[in-house]
Coordinates of all heavy atoms in Angstrom, one line a residue:
A268 N 0.8 -1.2 0.0 CA 0.0 0.0 0.0 C 0.9 1.3 0.0 O 0.5 2.3 -0.6 CB -0.9 0.0 1.2
F269 N 2.0 1.2 0.7 CA 2.9 2.4 0.7 C 3.3 2.8 -0.7 O 3.2 4.0 -1.0 CB 4.1 2.1 1.6 CG 5.1 3.2 1.5 CD1 5.0 4.4 2.2 CD2 6.3 3.0 0.7 CE1 5.9 5.4 2.1 CE2 7.2 4.0 0.6 CZ 7.0 5.2 1.3
W270 N 3.8 1.9 -1.5 CA 4.3 2.2 -2.8 C 3.2 2.7 -3.7 O 3.4 3.6 -4.5 CB 5.1 1.0 -3.4 CG 6.3 0.6 -2.6 CD1 6.4 -0.4 -1.7 CD2 7.5 1.4 -2.5 NE1 7.6 -0.4 -1.1 CE2 8.3 0.7 -1.6 CE3 8.0 2.5 -3.1 CZ2 9.6 1.1 -1.3 CZ3 9.2 2.9 -2.8 CH2 10.0 2.3 -1.9
R271 N 2.1 2.1 -3.6 CA 0.9 2.5 -4.4 C 0.6 4.0 -4.0 O 0.3 4.8 -4.9 CB -0.3 1.6 -4.2 CG -1.4 1.9 -5.1 CD -2.6 0.9 -5.0 NE -2.2 -0.5 -4.8 CZ -2.4 -1.2 -3.7 NH1 -3.0 -0.7 -2.7 NH2 -1.9 -2.5 -3.6
N272 N 0.5 4.3 -2.8 CA 0.2 5.6 -2.3 C 1.3 6.6 -2.8 O 1.0 7.8 -3.2 CB 0.0 5.7 -0.8 CG -1.3 5.0 -0.4 OD1 -2.2 4.9 -1.1 ND2 -1.3 4.6 0.9
A273 N 2.5 6.2 -2.6 CA 3.6 7.1 -3.0 C 3.5 7.4 -4.5 O 3.7 8.6 -4.9 CB 5.0 6.4 -2.7
S274 N 3.2 6.4 -5.3 CA 3.1 6.7 -6.8 C 1.9 7.6 -7.1 O 2.0 8.4 -8.0 CB 3.1 5.4 -7.6 OG 1.9 4.7 -7.3
K275 N 0.8 7.4 -6.4 CA -0.3 8.3 -6.6 C 0.0 9.7 -6.2 O -0.4 10.6 -6.9 CB -1.5 7.7 -5.9 CG -2.1 6.5 -6.5 CD -3.4 6.1 -5.8 CE -3.9 4.8 -6.3 NZ -4.3 4.7 -7.6
L276 N 0.6 9.9 -5.1 CA 1.0 11.3 -4.7 C 1.9 11.9 -5.7 O 1.8 13.1 -6.0 CB 1.6 11.2 -3.3 CG 0.6 10.9 -2.1 CD1 1.4 10.7 -0.8 CD2 -0.4 12.0 -2.0
L277 N 2.9 11.2 -6.1 CA 3.9 11.7 -7.1 C 3.2 12.1 -8.4 O 3.4 13.1 -8.9 CB 4.9 10.7 -7.4 CG 6.1 11.1 -8.2 CD1 6.9 12.2 -7.4 CD2 7.0 10.0 -8.5
A278 N 2.3 11.2 -8.9 CA 1.5 11.5 -10.1 C 0.6 12.7 -10.0 O 0.4 13.5 -10.9 CB 0.7 10.3 -10.5
A279 N 0.1 13.0 -8.7 CA -0.7 14.1 -8.5 C 0.0 15.4 -8.4 O -0.6 16.5 -8.5 CB -1.6 13.9 -7.3
A280 N 1.3 15.4 -8.1 CA 2.1 16.6 -7.9 C 2.2 17.3 -9.2 O 2.4 16.7 -10.3 CB 3.5 16.2 -7.4
P281 N 2.2 18.7 -9.2 CA 2.4 19.4 -10.4 C 3.8 19.2 -11.0 O 4.8 19.2 -10.2 CB 2.2 20.9 -10.0 CG 1.5 20.8 -8.7 CD 1.9 19.5 -8.1
T282 N 3.9 18.9 -12.2 CA 5.2 18.6 -12.9 C 6.2 19.7 -12.7 O 7.4 19.5 -12.4 CB 5.0 18.4 -14.4 OG1 4.0 17.3 -14.5 CG2 6.3 17.9 -15.0
A283 N 5.8 21.0 -12.7 CA 6.7 22.1 -12.5 C 7.3 22.2 -11.2 O 8.4 22.7 -11.0 CB 5.9 23.4 -12.8
E284 N 6.7 21.6 -10.2 CA 7.2 21.6 -8.8 C 8.0 20.4 -8.4 O 8.5 20.3 -7.3 CB 6.0 21.8 -7.8 CG 5.3 23.1 -7.9 CD 4.1 23.2 -7.0 OE1 3.9 22.3 -6.1 OE2 3.3 24.1 -7.2
L285 N 8.1 19.4 -9.3 CA 8.8 18.2 -9.0 C 10.2 18.2 -9.6 O 10.4 18.3 -10.8 CB 8.0 17.0 -9.7 CG 8.6 15.6 -9.5 CD1 8.6 15.2 -8.1 CD2 7.8 14.6 -10.3
P286 N 11.2 18.2 -8.7 CA 12.6 18.2 -9.2 C 12.8 16.9 -10.0 O 12.4 15.8 -9.6 CB 13.4 18.3 -8.0 CG 12.5 18.8 -6.9 CD 11.1 18.3 -7.3
A287 N 13.6 17.0 -11.1 CA 13.9 15.9 -11.9 C 14.7 14.8 -11.1 O 14.5 13.6 -11.3 CB 14.7 16.3 -13.1
R288 N 15.6 15.3 -10.2 CA 16.4 14.4 -9.4 C 15.5 13.5 -8.5 O 15.7 12.3 -8.3 CB 17.4 15.1 -8.6 CG 18.3 14.2 -7.8 CD 19.6 14.9 -7.5 NE 20.6 14.0 -6.9 CZ 21.4 13.2 -7.6 NH1 21.4 13.3 -8.9 NH2 22.3 12.5 -7.0
D289 N 14.4 14.1 -8.0 CA 13.5 13.3 -7.1 C 12.8 12.3 -7.9 O 12.6 11.1 -7.5 CB 12.5 14.3 -6.4 CG 13.1 15.2 -5.4 OD1 14.3 15.0 -5.1 OD2 12.4 16.0 -4.9
L290 N 12.3 12.6 -9.1 CA 11.7 11.6 -10.0 C 12.6 10.5 -10.3 O 12.3 9.3 -10.2 CB 11.2 12.3 -11.3 CG 10.5 11.3 -12.3 CD1 9.3 10.7 -11.7 CD2 10.2 12.1 -13.6
A291 N 13.9 10.8 -10.6 CA 14.9 9.8 -10.9 C 15.1 8.9 -9.7 O 15.2 7.7 -9.8 CB 16.2 10.5 -11.2
Q292 N 15.2 9.4 -8.5 CA 15.4 8.6 -7.3 C 14.2 7.7 -7.0 O 14.4 6.5 -6.7 CB 15.6 9.5 -6.1 CG 16.9 10.3 -6.1 CD 18.1 9.4 -6.1 OE1 18.1 8.3 -5.6 NE2 19.2 9.9 -6.6
V293 N 13.0 8.2 -7.3 CA 11.8 7.4 -7.1 C 11.8 6.2 -8.1 O 11.5 5.1 -7.8 CB 10.5 8.2 -7.2 CG1 9.3 7.3 -7.3 CG2 10.4 9.1 -6.0
C294 N 12.1 6.6 -9.4 CA 12.2 5.5 -10.4 C 13.2 4.5 -10.1 O 12.9 3.3 -10.2 CB 12.6 6.2 -11.8 SG 11.2 7.1 -12.5
L295 N 14.4 4.9 -9.5 CA 15.4 3.9 -9.1 C 14.9 3.0 -8.0 O 15.1 1.8 -8.0 CB 16.7 4.6 -8.8 CG 17.4 5.2 -9.9 CD1 18.6 6.0 -9.4 CD2 17.9 4.2 -10.9
A296 N 14.2 3.6 -7.0 CA 13.7 2.8 -5.9 C 12.6 1.8 -6.4 O 12.6 0.7 -6.0 CB 13.1 3.8 -4.9
F297 N 11.7 2.3 -7.2 CA 10.7 1.4 -7.8 C 11.3 0.3 -8.6 O 10.8 -0.9 -8.6 CB 9.6 2.2 -8.6 CG 8.5 2.8 -7.7 CD1 8.8 3.7 -6.7 CD2 7.2 2.5 -8.0 CE1 7.8 4.2 -5.9 CE2 6.2 3.1 -7.2 CZ 6.5 3.9 -6.2
R298 N 12.3 0.6 -9.3 CA 13.0 -0.4 -10.2 C 13.7 -1.4 -9.2 O 13.6 -2.6 -9.5 CB 14.0 0.3 -11.1 CG 15.0 -0.6 -11.8 CD 14.3 -1.3 -13.0 NE 15.1 -2.4 -13.5 CZ 15.7 -2.4 -14.7 NH1 15.4 -1.5 -15.5 NH2 16.4 -3.5 -15.0
R299 N 14.3 -1.0 -8.2 CA 15.0 -1.8 -7.2 C 14.0 -2.9 -6.6 O 14.4 -4.0 -6.4 CB 15.6 -1.0 -6.2 CG 16.2 -1.7 -5.0 CD 17.6 -1.9 -5.2 NE 18.2 -2.5 -4.0 CZ 19.2 -3.3 -4.0 NH1 19.8 -3.6 -5.1 NH2 19.7 -3.8 -2.9
I300 N 12.8 -2.4 -6.2 CA 11.9 -3.4 -5.6 C 11.0 -4.1 -6.6 O 10.1 -4.8 -6.3 CB 11.0 -2.7 -4.5 CG1 10.1 -1.6 -5.2 CG2 11.9 -2.1 -3.4 CD1 9.1 -1.0 -4.3
E301 N 11.2 -3.7 -7.9 CA 10.5 -4.4 -9.0 C 9.0 -4.1 -8.9 O 8.2 -5.0 -9.1 CB 10.8 -5.8 -9.1 CG 12.3 -6.1 -9.4 CD 12.6 -7.6 -9.4 OE1 11.7 -8.4 -9.3 OE2 13.8 -7.9 -9.7
Y302 N 8.6 -2.9 -8.5 CA 7.2 -2.5 -8.4 C 6.8 -1.7 -9.7 O 7.3 -0.7 -9.9 CB 7.0 -1.7 -7.2 CG 5.5 -1.4 -6.9 CD1 4.7 -2.3 -6.3 CD2 5.0 -0.2 -7.3 CE1 3.4 -2.0 -6.0 CE2 3.6 0.1 -7.0 CZ 2.8 -0.8 -6.4 OH 1.5 -0.6 -6.2
V303 N 5.8 -2.3 -10.4 CA 5.3 -1.6 -11.6 C 4.1 -0.8 -11.2 O 3.1 -1.3 -10.7 CB 4.9 -2.7 -12.6 CG1 4.3 -2.0 -13.8 CG2 6.2 -3.4 -13.1
S304 N 4.2 0.5 -11.5 CA 3.1 1.4 -11.2 C 2.6 2.2 -12.4 O 3.4 3.0 -12.9 CB 3.5 2.4 -10.1 OG 2.6 3.5 -10.0
P305 N 1.4 1.9 -12.8 CA 0.9 2.7 -14.0 C 0.9 4.2 -13.7 O 1.1 5.1 -14.6 CB -0.5 2.2 -14.2 CG -0.6 0.9 -13.5 CD 0.4 0.9 -12.4
D306 N 0.7 4.6 -12.4 CA 0.7 6.0 -12.0 C 2.1 6.6 -12.2 O 2.2 7.7 -12.7 CB 0.2 6.2 -10.5 CG -1.2 5.8 -10.3 OD1 -2.0 6.1 -11.2 OD2 -1.5 5.2 -9.3
L307 N 3.1 5.9 -11.8 CA 4.5 6.4 -12.0 C 4.8 6.5 -13.4 O 5.5 7.4 -13.9 CB 5.5 5.6 -11.2 CG 6.9 6.0 -11.2 CD1 7.1 7.5 -10.8 CD2 7.8 5.1 -10.4
V308 N 4.4 5.5 -14.2 CA 4.7 5.5 -15.7 C 4.0 6.8 -16.3 O 4.6 7.5 -17.1 CB 4.2 4.2 -16.4 CG1 4.2 4.4 -17.9 CG2 5.0 3.1 -15.9
A309 N 2.8 7.0 -15.9 CA 2.1 8.2 -16.4 C 2.8 9.5 -16.0 O 2.9 10.5 -16.8 CB 0.6 8.2 -15.9
C310 N 3.3 9.5 -14.7 CA 4.0 10.7 -14.3 C 5.3 10.9 -15.1 O 5.6 12.0 -15.5 CB 4.3 10.5 -12.8 SG 5.3 11.8 -12.0
C311 N 6.0 9.8 -15.3 CA 7.2 9.9 -16.1 C 6.9 10.4 -17.5 O 7.7 11.2 -18.1 CB 7.9 8.5 -16.2 SG 8.6 7.9 -14.7
K312 N 5.9 9.9 -18.1 CA 5.5 10.4 -19.5 C 5.2 11.9 -19.5 O 5.7 12.6 -20.3 CB 4.3 9.6 -20.0 CG 4.5 8.2 -20.4 CD 3.2 7.6 -20.9 CE 3.3 6.2 -21.3 NZ 2.0 5.7 -21.8
T313 N 4.4 12.3 -18.5 CA 4.1 13.7 -18.5 C 5.3 14.6 -18.2 O 5.5 15.6 -18.9 CB 3.1 14.0 -17.3 OG1 1.9 13.2 -17.6 CG2 2.7 15.4 -17.2
F314 N 6.2 14.1 -17.3 CA 7.4 14.8 -17.0 C 8.3 14.9 -18.3 O 8.8 16.0 -18.6 CB 8.2 14.1 -15.9 CG 9.2 15.0 -15.2 CD1 8.8 15.7 -14.1 CD2 10.5 15.2 -15.7 CE1 9.8 16.6 -13.5 CE2 11.4 16.0 -15.1 CZ 11.0 16.7 -14.0
L315 N 8.4 13.8 -19.0 CA 9.3 13.8 -20.2 C 8.7 14.7 -21.3 O 9.4 15.4 -21.9 CB 9.4 12.4 -20.7 CG 10.3 11.5 -19.9 CD1 10.2 10.0 -20.4 CD2 11.7 11.9 -19.9
E316 N 7.4 14.8 -21.4 CA 6.8 15.6 -22.4 C 7.0 17.1 -22.1 O 7.2 17.9 -22.9 CB 5.2 15.4 -22.4 CG 4.9 14.1 -23.1 CD 3.4 13.7 -22.9 OE1 2.7 14.5 -22.3 OE2 3.0 12.6 -23.3
Q317 N 6.9 17.4 -20.8 CA 7.0 18.9 -20.4 C 8.4 19.3 -20.0 O 8.7 20.5 -20.2 CB 6.1 19.1 -19.2 CG 4.6 18.8 -19.5 CD 3.7 19.0 -18.3 OE1 4.2 19.4 -17.2 NE2 2.5 18.7 -18.5
R318 N 9.3 18.5 -19.5 CA 10.5 19.0 -19.0 C 11.8 18.1 -19.3 O 12.8 18.2 -18.7 CB 10.4 19.1 -17.4 CG 9.3 20.0 -17.0 CD 9.3 20.4 -15.6 NE 10.6 20.7 -15.0 CZ 10.9 20.5 -13.8 NH1 10.1 19.9 -12.9 NH2 12.1 20.8 -13.3
Q319 N 11.6 17.3 -20.3 CA 12.7 16.4 -20.7 C 14.1 17.2 -20.9 O 15.1 16.7 -20.5 CB 12.4 15.6 -21.9 CG 13.4 14.7 -22.4 CD 13.0 13.8 -23.5 OE1 11.8 13.8 -23.9 NE2 13.9 13.1 -24.1
R320 N 14.0 18.3 -21.6 CA 15.2 19.1 -21.9 C 15.9 19.6 -20.7 O 17.0 20.1 -20.7 CB 14.9 20.2 -22.9 CG 14.4 19.7 -24.2 CD 14.7 20.6 -25.3 NE 14.1 20.2 -26.6 CZ 14.7 19.3 -27.4 NH1 15.9 18.8 -27.1 NH2 14.1 19.0 -28.5
H321 N 15.2 19.6 -19.5 CA 15.8 20.1 -18.3 C 16.4 19.0 -17.4 O 16.9 19.3 -16.3 CB 14.8 20.9 -17.5 CG 14.2 22.0 -18.2 ND1 14.9 23.2 -18.4 CD2 13.0 22.2 -18.8 CE1 14.1 24.0 -19.1 NE2 12.9 23.4 -19.4
M322 N 16.4 17.8 -17.9 CA 16.9 16.7 -17.2 C 18.4 16.4 -17.6 O 18.7 16.5 -18.8 CB 16.0 15.4 -17.4 CG 14.6 15.6 -16.9 SD 13.5 14.2 -17.4 CE 14.0 13.0 -16.1
N323 N 19.2 15.9 -16.6 CA 20.5 15.5 -17.0 C 20.5 14.1 -17.4 O 19.5 13.4 -17.3 CB 21.5 15.9 -15.9 CG 21.2 15.1 -14.6 OD1 20.8 13.9 -14.6 ND2 21.5 15.7 -13.5
I324 N 21.7 13.6 -17.8 CA 21.8 12.2 -18.3 C 21.5 11.2 -17.2 O 20.8 10.2 -17.5 CB 23.2 12.0 -19.0 CG1 23.3 12.8 -20.2 CG2 23.4 10.5 -19.3 CD1 24.6 12.8 -20.9
F325 N 21.9 11.4 -16.0 CA 21.6 10.5 -14.9 C 20.1 10.4 -14.7 O 19.5 9.3 -14.6 CB 22.2 11.0 -13.6 CG 21.6 10.3 -12.4 CD1 21.9 9.0 -12.0 CD2 20.7 11.0 -11.6 CE1 21.3 8.4 -10.9 CE2 20.1 10.4 -10.5 CZ 20.4 9.1 -10.1
E326 N 19.4 11.5 -14.7 CA 17.9 11.5 -14.5 C 17.2 10.8 -15.6 O 16.3 10.0 -15.4 CB 17.4 12.9 -14.3 CG 18.0 13.6 -13.1 CD 18.0 15.1 -13.1 OE1 17.7 15.7 -14.2 OE2 18.3 15.7 -12.1
L327 N 17.7 11.1 -16.8 CA 17.1 10.4 -18.0 C 17.3 8.9 -18.0 O 16.4 8.2 -18.3 CB 17.6 11.0 -19.3 CG 17.2 12.5 -19.6 CD1 18.0 13.1 -20.7 CD2 15.7 12.5 -20.0
A328 N 18.5 8.5 -17.6 CA 18.8 7.1 -17.5 C 17.9 6.4 -16.4 O 17.5 5.3 -16.6 CB 20.3 6.9 -17.2
A329 N 17.7 7.1 -15.3 CA 16.9 6.4 -14.2 C 15.5 6.3 -14.7 O 14.9 5.2 -14.5 CB 17.0 7.3 -13.0
V330 N 14.9 7.3 -15.4 CA 13.5 7.1 -15.9 C 13.5 6.1 -17.0 O 12.6 5.2 -17.0 CB 13.0 8.5 -16.4 CG1 11.7 8.4 -17.1 CG2 12.9 9.5 -15.3
A331 N 14.5 6.0 -17.9 CA 14.5 5.0 -18.9 C 14.6 3.6 -18.3 O 13.9 2.7 -18.8 CB 15.7 5.3 -19.9
S332 N 15.4 3.5 -17.3 CA 15.6 2.2 -16.6 C 14.3 1.7 -16.1 O 13.9 0.5 -16.2 CB 16.7 2.3 -15.5 OG 16.8 1.1 -14.8
Y333 N 13.6 2.6 -15.4 CA 12.3 2.2 -14.8 C 11.3 1.8 -15.9 O 10.6 0.8 -15.8 CB 11.7 3.2 -13.9 CG 10.4 2.8 -13.3 CD1 10.3 1.8 -12.4 CD2 9.2 3.4 -13.8 CE1 9.0 1.4 -11.9 CE2 8.0 3.0 -13.3 CZ 7.9 2.0 -12.4 OH 6.7 1.6 -11.9
C334 N 11.1 2.7 -16.9 CA 10.2 2.5 -17.9 C 10.4 1.3 -18.8 O 9.5 0.7 -19.3 CB 10.1 3.8 -18.8 SG 9.4 5.2 -18.0
S335 N 11.7 0.9 -18.8 CA 12.0 -0.3 -19.6 C 11.4 -1.6 -19.0 O 11.1 -2.5 -19.8 CB 13.5 -0.5 -19.7 OG 14.1 -0.9 -18.5
V336 N 11.1 -1.6 -17.7 CA 10.5 -2.8 -17.1 C 9.0 -2.5 -16.8 O 8.3 -3.5 -16.6 CB 11.3 -3.2 -15.8 CG1 12.7 -3.7 -16.2 CG2 11.3 -2.2 -14.8
A337 N 8.6 -1.3 -16.7 CA 7.3 -1.0 -16.2 C 6.3 -0.8 -17.4 O 5.1 -0.9 -17.2 CB 7.3 0.3 -15.4
C338 N 6.8 -0.6 -18.6 CA 5.9 -0.4 -19.8 C 5.9 -1.7 -20.6 O 6.8 -2.5 -20.6 CB 6.4 0.8 -20.6 SG 6.5 2.3 -19.7
N339 N 4.9 -1.7 -21.5 CA 4.9 -2.8 -22.5 C 6.0 -2.5 -23.5 O 6.5 -1.4 -23.6 CB 3.5 -3.0 -23.1 CG 3.0 -1.8 -23.9 OD1 3.8 -1.3 -24.7 ND2 1.8 -1.5 -23.7
D340 N 6.3 -3.4 -24.4 CA 7.4 -3.3 -25.3 C 7.3 -2.1 -26.2 O 8.2 -1.3 -26.4 CB 7.6 -4.5 -26.1 CG 8.1 -5.7 -25.3 OD1 8.7 -5.4 -24.2 OD2 8.0 -6.8 -25.7
D341 N 6.1 -1.9 -26.8 CA 5.9 -0.7 -27.7 C 6.0 0.6 -27.0 O 6.7 1.5 -27.5 CB 4.6 -0.8 -28.5 CG 4.5 -2.0 -29.4 OD1 5.6 -2.4 -29.9 OD2 3.4 -2.5 -29.7
E342 N 5.3 0.7 -25.9 CA 5.3 1.9 -25.1 C 6.8 2.2 -24.6 O 7.2 3.4 -24.7 CB 4.4 1.7 -23.9 CG 4.1 3.0 -23.1 CD 3.1 2.7 -22.0 OE1 3.0 1.6 -21.5 OE2 2.4 3.7 -21.7
A343 N 7.5 1.2 -24.1 CA 8.8 1.4 -23.6 C 9.7 1.8 -24.7 O 10.6 2.7 -24.6 CB 9.3 0.1 -23.0
G344 N 9.6 1.2 -25.9 CA 10.4 1.6 -27.0 C 10.3 3.0 -27.4 O 11.3 3.7 -27.7
D345 N 9.0 3.5 -27.4 CA 8.8 4.9 -27.8 C 9.4 5.9 -26.7 O 10.1 6.8 -27.1 CB 7.3 5.2 -27.9 CG 6.7 4.5 -29.1 OD1 7.4 4.1 -30.0 OD2 5.4 4.4 -29.1
L346 N 9.2 5.6 -25.4 CA 9.7 6.4 -24.4 C 11.2 6.4 -24.4 O 11.9 7.5 -24.3 CB 9.2 5.9 -23.0 CG 7.9 6.4 -22.6 CD1 7.4 5.6 -21.3 CD2 7.8 7.9 -22.3
I347 N 11.8 5.2 -24.4 CA 13.3 5.1 -24.4 C 13.9 5.7 -25.6 O 15.0 6.3 -25.6 CB 13.7 3.7 -24.1 CG1 13.2 3.3 -22.7 CG2 15.2 3.5 -24.2 CD1 13.3 1.8 -22.4
G348 N 13.3 5.5 -26.8 CA 13.8 6.1 -28.0 C 13.9 7.6 -27.9 O 14.9 8.2 -28.3
G349 N 12.9 8.3 -27.3 CA 12.9 9.7 -27.1 C 14.0 10.1 -26.1 O 14.6 11.2 -26.3
I350 N 14.2 9.3 -25.1 CA 15.2 9.6 -24.1 C 16.6 9.5 -24.7 O 17.4 10.4 -24.5 CB 15.1 8.7 -22.9 CG1 13.8 9.1 -22.1 CG2 16.3 8.8 -22.0 CD1 13.4 8.1 -21.0
V351 N 16.8 8.4 -25.5 CA 18.1 8.2 -26.1 C 18.4 9.4 -27.1 O 19.5 9.9 -27.1 CB 18.1 6.9 -26.9 CG1 19.3 6.8 -27.8 CG2 18.1 5.7 -25.9
E352 N 17.4 9.8 -27.8 CA 17.6 10.9 -28.7 C 18.0 12.2 -28.0 O 18.9 12.9 -28.4 CB 16.3 11.2 -29.5 CG 16.5 12.2 -30.6 CD 15.2 12.4 -31.4 OE1 14.6 11.4 -31.7 OE2 14.9 13.6 -31.7
E353 N 17.4 12.5 -26.8 CA 17.7 13.6 -26.0 C 19.1 13.5 -25.5 O 19.9 14.5 -25.5 CB 16.7 13.8 -24.9 CG 17.0 15.0 -24.0 CD 16.9 16.3 -24.7 OE1 16.1 16.4 -25.7 OE2 17.6 17.2 -24.3
V354 N 19.5 12.4 -25.0 CA 20.8 12.2 -24.5 C 21.9 12.4 -25.6 O 22.9 13.1 -25.4 CB 21.0 10.8 -23.8 CG1 22.4 10.5 -23.5 CG2 20.1 10.7 -22.6
C355 N 21.6 11.8 -26.8 CA 22.6 12.0 -27.9 C 22.7 13.5 -28.3 O 23.8 14.0 -28.5 CB 22.1 11.2 -29.1 SG 22.4 9.4 -28.8
N356 N 21.6 14.2 -28.3 CA 21.6 15.6 -28.6 C 22.4 16.4 -27.6 O 23.2 17.3 -27.9 CB 20.2 16.2 -28.8 CG 19.5 15.7 -30.0 OD1 20.1 15.3 -31.0 ND2 18.2 15.7 -30.0
S357 N 22.1 16.1 -26.3 CA 22.8 16.8 -25.3 C 24.3 16.5 -25.3 O 25.2 17.4 -25.2 CB 22.3 16.3 -23.9 OG 23.0 16.8 -22.9
W358 N 24.7 15.3 -25.6 CA 26.1 14.9 -25.7 C 26.8 15.6 -26.9 O 27.9 16.2 -26.8 CB 26.3 13.4 -25.8 CG 27.7 13.0 -25.9 CD1 28.6 12.9 -24.9 CD2 28.3 12.5 -27.1 NE1 29.8 12.5 -25.4 CE2 29.7 12.2 -26.7 CE3 27.9 12.3 -28.4 CZ2 30.6 11.7 -27.6 CZ3 28.9 11.8 -29.3 CH2 30.2 11.5 -28.9
R359 N 26.1 15.7 -28.1 CA 26.6 16.3 -29.2 C 26.8 17.8 -29.0 O 27.8 18.4 -29.6 CB 25.7 16.1 -30.4 CG 26.0 14.8 -31.2 CD 25.2 14.8 -32.5 NE 24.6 13.5 -32.6 CZ 23.4 13.2 -32.6 NH1 22.5 14.2 -32.6 NH2 22.9 12.0 -32.7
Q360 N 26.0 18.4 -28.2 CA 26.1 19.9 -28.0 C 27.4 20.2 -27.2 O 27.9 21.2 -27.3 CB 24.9 20.4 -27.3 CG 23.6 20.5 -28.1 CD 22.4 20.9 -27.4 OE1 22.4 21.0 -26.1 NE2 21.3 21.0 -28.1
R361 N 27.8 19.2 -26.4 CA 29.0 19.4 -25.6 C 30.2 18.9 -26.3 O 31.3 19.2 -25.8 CB 28.8 18.7 -24.2 CG 27.9 19.4 -23.3 CD 27.8 18.7 -22.0 NE 26.9 17.6 -22.3 CZ 26.9 16.4 -21.6 NH1 27.8 16.2 -20.7 NH2 26.1 15.4 -21.9
E362 N 30.1 18.2 -27.4 CA 31.2 17.7 -28.1 C 32.0 18.8 -28.7 O 31.5 19.7 -29.3 CB 30.7 16.7 -29.2 CG 31.7 16.0 -30.0 CD 32.4 14.9 -29.2 OE1 31.9 14.5 -28.1 OE2 33.5 14.5 -29.6
S363 N 33.3 18.8 -28.6 CA 34.1 19.9 -29.1 C 34.3 19.8 -30.6 O 34.6 20.8 -31.2 CB 35.5 19.9 -28.4 OG 36.2 18.7 -28.6
V364 N 34.3 18.6 -31.2 CA 34.4 18.4 -32.6 C 33.1 18.2 -33.2 O 32.5 17.2 -32.9 CB 35.4 17.3 -33.0 CG1 35.5 17.1 -34.5 CG2 36.8 17.5 -32.3
P365 N 32.5 19.0 -34.0 CA 31.2 18.8 -34.6 C 31.2 17.6 -35.5 O 32.1 17.4 -36.3 CB 30.9 20.1 -35.4 CG 32.2 20.8 -35.5 CD 33.1 20.3 -34.5
W366 N 30.2 16.8 -35.4 CA 30.0 15.7 -36.3 C 28.5 15.4 -36.4 O 27.7 15.8 -35.5 CB 30.8 14.5 -35.8 CG 30.3 14.0 -34.5 CD1 30.5 14.6 -33.3 CD2 29.5 12.8 -34.2 NE1 29.9 13.8 -32.3 CE2 29.3 12.8 -32.8 CE3 29.0 11.8 -35.0 CZ2 28.6 11.7 -32.2 CZ3 28.2 10.8 -34.4 CH2 28.1 10.8 -33.0
S367 N 28.1 14.7 -37.4 CA 26.7 14.3 -37.5 C 26.6 12.8 -37.4 O 27.4 12.0 -37.8 CB 26.2 14.7 -38.9 OG 26.9 14.1 -39.9
A368 N 25.5 12.4 -36.8 CA 25.2 11.0 -36.6 C 24.0 10.5 -37.4 O 23.2 11.3 -37.7 CB 25.0 10.7 -35.1

């Protein structure tokens, strides 16, 4: 009941007020205990839609890790594909030698 309530409270929190690091830590905890929560998946999707560009690579990886086990294959592929694209873009922006992939 605790984990279910935690995921419902997190999903109800306004995305703008939720630090990305906190979402990442919750995703890692849920992944660790192997608890699948549709509420947390919905929260991750909303967060990624609204604030993905404000997340660092660690936070994106934590969300991707959780979604890879909590979502069905098609849904996970779409989410993780978007995360991978963002990580690659972020890395390319910091790359000192310009190149195209």
Side-chain angles (χ1 to χ4, degrees):
F269 170 79
W270 295 105
R271 189 176 317 116
N272 289 338
S274 65
K275 287 185 186 299
L276 289 172
L277 188 65
T282 305
E284 295 178 13
L285 179 63
R288 185 156 186 87
D289 290 353
L290 177 63
Q292 293 295 336
V293 170
C294 285
L295 290 173
F297 274 57
R298 170 78 193 243
R299 171 95 173 151
I300 63 168
E301 298 178 1
Y302 185 82
V303 175
S304 167
D306 293 322
L307 182 55
V308 170
C310 179
C311 289
K312 285 181 183 179
T313 302
F314 199 95
L315 289 170
E316 288 170 3
Q317 296 177 5
R318 300 189 49 211
Q319 180 175 351
R320 297 207 184 274
H321 301 286
M322 298 174 78
N323 64 35
I324 292 174
F325 163 77
E326 295 157 352
L327 290 166
V330 172
S332 175
Y333 177 71
C334 290
S335 70
V336 295
C338 300
N339 66 44
D340 290 341
D341 293 334
E342 189 177 30
D345 292 343
L346 278 172
I347 293 170
I350 291 171
V351 168
E352 186 176 320
E353 179 63 29
V354 169
C355 288
N356 288 338
S357 174
W358 180 74
R359 272 192 226 116
Q360 288 174 355
R361 286 181 282 151
E362 185 72 14
S363 59
V364 179
W366 64 286
S367 61

